[in-house]
Amino acid sequence: MVGLSSASGVVGFLSEPDPELQIFALRKLNEEIDSLWTEVVSSIGDVEALYEDPQFPERELAALVAAKVYYNLQEYNESMMFALGAGKLFDIENGGEFEETIISKCIDTYIALSDTASAADSHQPPAQLNTAFPSTNNGASSTSASLASPTMPFSQATLPSKSLLSRQDSTTTFDPAAQGGNPPLPGSLPSSTAQQRGVLRPLQQVIEQLFERCFREKRYRQVVGIAVEARNFDVLRRAILRASEDEKKETQSKKDVLGQAEDLLDYLLGICMDVVQERGLRQELLRLILDLLRDVSSPDVFAIAKCIVYLDESSLASKLLVDLVDTGGPKKLAEAYQIAFDLYDNSSQDFLKRVRQGLPETQEGLQDPAATESNTMEEDKAEDAQETDRLLQDSGKNDAALGPSVATGHTAPMEPKIREALEKITQILQGKVSIALSAEFLFRHNHADKAILTKLKDSLEARNSIFHTAVTLSCGFMNAGTLNDSFYRDNLEWLGKAVNWSKFTATASLGVIHRGNLGAGQRILQPYLPKENSNSPSSVYSQGGALYAMGLIYANHETDALDNIRNHFKKASEEVVQHGGALGLGVAGMATGDDGIYEDLKAVLYTDSALNGEAVGIAMGLIMLGTGNIKALEDMIQYAHDTQHEKIVRGLGLGMALIMYGQQEGADELVNGLLEDPDPILRYGGIQALALAYCGTASNKAVRKLLHLAVSDVSDDVRRYAVMSLGFILFRKPKSVPRMVELLSESYNPHVRYGAAMALGISCAGTGLDEAIDLLEPMIKDPTDFVRQGALIALSMIMIQQNDAMNPKVGSVRKTLQKAVGDRHEDAMTKFGSTIALGIIDAGGRNCTISLQTQTGNLNMPGIVGMAVFTQYWYWFPLTHFLSLSFTPTSVIALDQDLDIPDFKYYSATRPSLFDYPPEQEAKTEDAPEKVKTAVLSTTAQAKRRAQKKEKQQRRESMDIDHTPTASKHSEGDKMDTDESAAKAADDDKDGAKPDGNKADGDKRDGEASKETTDRPEGLKKRMEREKVGYELDNMSRVVPAQLKFISFPDKRYQPVKKATGGVILMNDTAPEEPKKLKEMKRKAPALQAGSASQQTENNAQEAAANQETTQAPGAAEAAGVLTAVDEGAEGEEDAGLPREFEYHSDADQEEL
């Protein structure tokens, strides 16, 4: 049938009084509306009048025609309104473009209306922070925010671009003037208009039809996504239950649909952790997931653990562990151990302590349940206590999901197997097992290149404190966690040149090297620690550095070492010792929330000492890390305004930022107040608080705020750190950072350029991202020295654990770092940066990477904190050691259900050279400055020859004996000679060859090395082509993050209980009755006695005699005699008198005289 070519005649029927003609016209127009809509536009009023006429029998048809006309006019809101009025005539089953567009608009409107309703119901009176900030016109100090929740975030959001969830929350804003609810979605229908025109009910019907279609087609994820954005938890529950019911009804293809509900819950958990940005919504979703897991036949216990940790429900974590142990079976026991390892990696010390207290008592005895319950309730905040009560009201549901309740403990005698399992879980939660395994891995696979350290030592003048400090820092990073301190033992003379704070830093570097050495850490540092009754003096700098080192050894691990540091800190009277003790307390007691330690630190803070005040401010923040403690914030804010010392204000600013770690919108009030402060140091602290509160969230509003401050603040320090903080916010999306800071890296302001370089290093650490390297390479030649310094450090962070196969530029980067150190014309700051960079790029014996997230993809709290404090090396070099907290061993360590290390192999589906260690560097002796030869004039040589002849003639005449004259070695002539005898003798003794020959050989070797470096990519490519793809790795081998996706476990006996993510992986032994072969621990519990180091001191003579049988003393012990020595003229002596007043005489005075 031929269609209409013109609508003029049909449109005329719309004005006829006969309804039959009007209906005929509408039907014809509906069929040909896509081609005739331009002629209908002028008569759209007649169509709308028919729709609004209650007596017209085909009102829905008129609405459908009007909807299609408005759709072609691109007035989608009006089109949706009339489409909803069309009723059944609007069929969503038709797959046309019109239907799909209207459905999309309906979903947007449904989400906007649902979100508005939920926002109206969620307003709660926020907690108020008495900030004592100066009042501003825009009311920055009165911004409302919620600070009551002390939960430690288990994972933060990575927000996709253009997501509907990227809109601002009504309670989450940096603009105090912003009021009201969320802004409407672009193009969505205002809620008031939707209510006035009565489309809410038809809109709900369309959405229900859409949901039913998705259910029929088993597209449950679409329903879950819409429900999450609309915050409709009833629909979420309905979708997951419907998926479970459909799964149970399937009988034929049961294998294909098995686990459909579990997959949907995993998808919902992924949305909750990776997409949802608002913390309140995330917590509600996690509670819903916990409730729904009880209806799943085989719930994912690791998903349960993830929810529990984020919700800060330590009691539920204890229940889950006990349930798995009580269930029995090797696999359940392995799952319990794996969850315990994950809890340790992703939780704070305070949370782990409460989990341990919630476990039943063993023979050794834990705290009684009543005391445990009271302590837990005292530590919880009011809001979290209410949330816990609501969660635990339905105890039957929780018990059904998690198994038997252990709230009352095990009153019956405990079976030996259960007692043993709980004891092992307790040790895992204390961190002993994880730390011991990491230390064994680093000790076993140490590939630190000692030649690089020797080159650094020889190239830099040790008398310059900045160079000496740089070498000790590089040595610490390169040997972090390996227990290898032989460099100090082999270079005692060089180490003895350390004075004052260089000695402090050198001593503290021992803590970096021996990090995780829980058994011998205190004994190694014993010679350095302060002593009450000592006959011989000891340097206060080594004492303070020793307390700092002890904190680094026991970092984020609460043991008796924390009490030891605290006792020394309380007894110390010297400011340097208090400085080191404060840093040690903060690192060892990280996130414990210990009020006693906090009060001790505050007492020292109130002495108003600039030297130790900065360290105390940082330590206070470390102790209260992530708690959002209002009382502590008020104390620190008040003192920051009272003191006159900039160092104290800077330390308090960082401390407040640490307290707000992970708080997100809970930190907005503090951030606003600090950013509006007239003091640039406090504004600097506000940037730090913003960076740590939203770290890893990729928050759009946080990024906008930082970019605004980076170009608007009058302080260079604030602008520098604002750009640098982009790395903390976006480290989960590293590929977006180079594009964002590209223009900032070319700024006229060198501080902004430095911030851009460090932002690239922080966000792209360990990725080898080419875009970041391309931006940093021009900055190596920047005219400003500290910009070059930042570029070199950032390059080392990005290139860590990269080889030529992974990134061909790593060789040139290493050569650039070494060249900067040996360049005589390079500035000291650039040399410092390159020296530090050489230690970072080979961190942990080339077995560590820098990671701000854990192996399971969650926030790495110690790593983020370490990186944040490390950036403060700009003001204070000893804080550089904090970067070691970000070093993460890259290994796969498989354990069986007995926590033994089975000796088996896993498979890597790559070529061996792809992820191999980089080649070691050869030390070049030719680079050392040559001795200048002494010039000898020709006349002098002739005079010497004449004198020799005369002397020989006289000797022959006197003795009457003929002697054969010795021929002269000097050629006759008038040219200038050189006296080479001394140089030749020295070279002959050393090398047994002539100097010229050595030089020629050295030049030849240099040329060969240069040629090898140039041809390396091609040769490496050919070598990789010859290699066979796929090889086996021993258990406890080095596996870099990029290699994990190629790892598999072909051994049928040992199978992982979860997907391999690096670190400790529990294996299910499918044949436990068969004998098993275990790997032997190479690093035994060291019986090292630090007393052997005290042979040079009188007060440790007895300890030295007791340890004379030790075959070889450790480097730390031998270095003690050097580092503990009192600097000459530094301590115990009177200060030199002031010079006399300078007398000035003018020319006029001279004339008068």
Side-chain angles (χ1 to χ4, degrees), residues 33-84:
I33 193 65
D34 290 336
S35 59
L36 303 177
W37 67 271
T38 55
E39 301 180 48
V40 184
V41 170
S42 58
S43 302
I44 190 65
D46 296 336
V47 179
E48 293 183 8
L50 294 176
Y51 167 68
E52 296 172 356
D53 185 4
Q55 303 300 326
F56 186 67
E58 294 289 342
R59 295 179 61 233
E60 295 179 350
L61 181 59
L64 183 61
V65 173
K68 292 183 178 181
V69 172
Y70 280 113
Y71 165 75
N72 285 281
L73 288 171
Q74 297 185 0
E75 293 289 342
Y76 298 125
N77 282 334
E78 289 294 328
S79 178
M80 183 195 67
M81 297 293 294
F82 284 104
L84 292 176

Side-chain angles (χ1 to χ4, degrees), residues 423-480:
E423 290 174 356
K424 290 182 178 179
I425 288 176
T426 301
Q427 292 180 355
I428 294 173
L429 294 175
Q430 289 175 347
K432 296 179 180 179
V433 181
S434 297
I435 294 175
L437 292 174
S438 298
E440 170 69 18
F441 164 73
L442 294 175
F443 177 81
R444 184 186 291 259
H445 298 279
N446 183 17
H447 281 71
D449 194 349
K450 193 174 180 180
I452 296 178
L453 288 176
T454 304
K455 176 81 174 294
L456 293 175
K457 175 183 70 69
D458 296 338
S459 300
L460 300 175
E461 176 57 45
R463 287 296 180 184
N464 193 330
S465 62
I466 186 175
F467 294 152
H468 196 286
T469 299
V471 176
T472 55
L473 291 172
S474 182
C475 176
F477 290 158
M478 196 175 297
N479 297 281

Side-chain angles (χ1 to χ4, degrees), residues 997-1035:
N998 285 341
K999 184 176 181 181
D1001 294 341
D1003 294 340
K1004 183 177 180 181
R1005 286 195 299 268
D1006 290 348
E1008 292 175 353
S1010 177
K1011 181 178 180 181
E1012 181 183 355
T1013 303
T1014 305
D1015 298 338
R1016 178 176 296 170
E1018 186 67 24
L1020 179 63
K1021 183 178 180 180
K1022 293 181 179 179
R1023 187 169 71 252
M1024 291 183 64
E1025 291 176 354
R1026 293 193 300 266
E1027 289 179 346
K1028 182 181 178 181
V1029 177
Y1031 64 102
E1032 292 183 339
L1033 289 169
D1034 292 328
N1035 190 12

